Amino acid sequence: LIHAWQSMTGREIGAHCVTVFHHHVGYEDMIERRITTGQPRFLIDDGGDQSTPLVHENHIHDAHYFFEYSSSDIQEGLFLALCRAAAHHPEKDYVFMVDCIDEVGVSEVFGEVAHMLDSFARVPWKPGTNGQPGGWDLEAPGARTNRLSHSGRIFFIPSNVYVLGTA
């Protein structure tokens, strides 16, 4: 599937995840959870890129974004980790594949992020012009953001993240 994706789109896959939904999968597994000291915090490597991606048209002042490293009591869920890696690398595609997506309620697993899964709600990358760097365009038509319930960080799904599901 990954080779077919790359040949059809002409874009490199930065990372892909394959998971199975079952009745024990929840918000904490996909988005974020509170943890105790000693548990791992990051599930997907962003390539060691410690820089922060730029955001254009930031109307939320003093906001912390999901792609910034959070407090030590928050562990990323699998989907949030994939989105963080994608935010750091807009030139690559990131694919989230879910088997048995109909086994649980999507809103139960994704919580406040569920309404952002539609392709029109993704935040696009705005290329730089006149020597200015590019950034994620929060003011693009249809683009949605949300504040995560545990960390309070601002979350969006980058336009280079694709969700594929099977029943």
Side-chain angles (χ1 to χ4, degrees):
L1 179 63
I2 298 304
H3 295 295
W5 182 282
Q6 290 175 327
S7 66
M8 288 183 345
T9 65
R11 288 176 50 96
E12 182 181 346
I13 297 286
H16 69 280
C17 295
V18 179
T19 189
V20 177
F21 278 7
H22 52 80
H23 64 277
H24 292 295
V25 174
Y27 179 86
E28 292 80 11
D29 301 305
M30 293 300 123
I31 307 300
E32 64 180 6
R33 76 174 73 216
R34 295 208 177 277
I35 61 170
T36 58
T37 306
Q39 290 178 291
R41 289 180 53 211
F42 307 110
L43 301 175
I44 295 179
D45 185 12
D46 61 14
D49 189 351
Q50 297 291 323
S51 64
T52 300
L54 293 177
V55 174
H56 286 298
E57 307 298 330
N58 181 5
H59 61 280
I60 307 168
H61 301 289
D62 298 323
H64 292 284
Y65 291 92
F66 71 96
F67 48 73
E68 299 173 299
Y69 294 100
S70 67
S71 66
S72 60
D73 66 338
I74 300 293
Q75 179 187 43
E76 295 181 339
L78 189 58
F79 186 68
L80 188 142
L82 185 80
C83 289
R84 179 180 48 80
H88 281 277
H89 299 285
E91 74 283 1
K92 298 178 181 178
D93 287 342
Y94 289 75
V95 181
F96 190 74
M97 295 179 271
V98 181
D99 190 21
C100 302
I101 199 165
D102 61 342
E103 289 294 316
V104 297
V106 172
S107 61
E108 294 171 25
V109 174
F110 288 103
E112 69 272 21
V113 173
H115 75 282
M116 303 165 70
L117 292 171
D118 292 318
S119 61
F120 65 81
R122 311 278 169 86
V123 173
W125 178 259
K126 185 177 181 180
T129 57
N130 299 327
Q132 297 296 319
W136 295 103
D137 187 4
L138 299 181
E139 298 296 322
R144 294 182 184 167
T145 62
N146 205 332
R147 191 171 296 273
L148 297 174
S149 59
H150 292 323
S151 66
R153 295 180 293 169
I154 303 300
F155 179 78
F156 60 85
I157 301 176
S159 60
N160 59 332
V161 172
Y162 299 87
V163 179
L164 307 175
T166 65

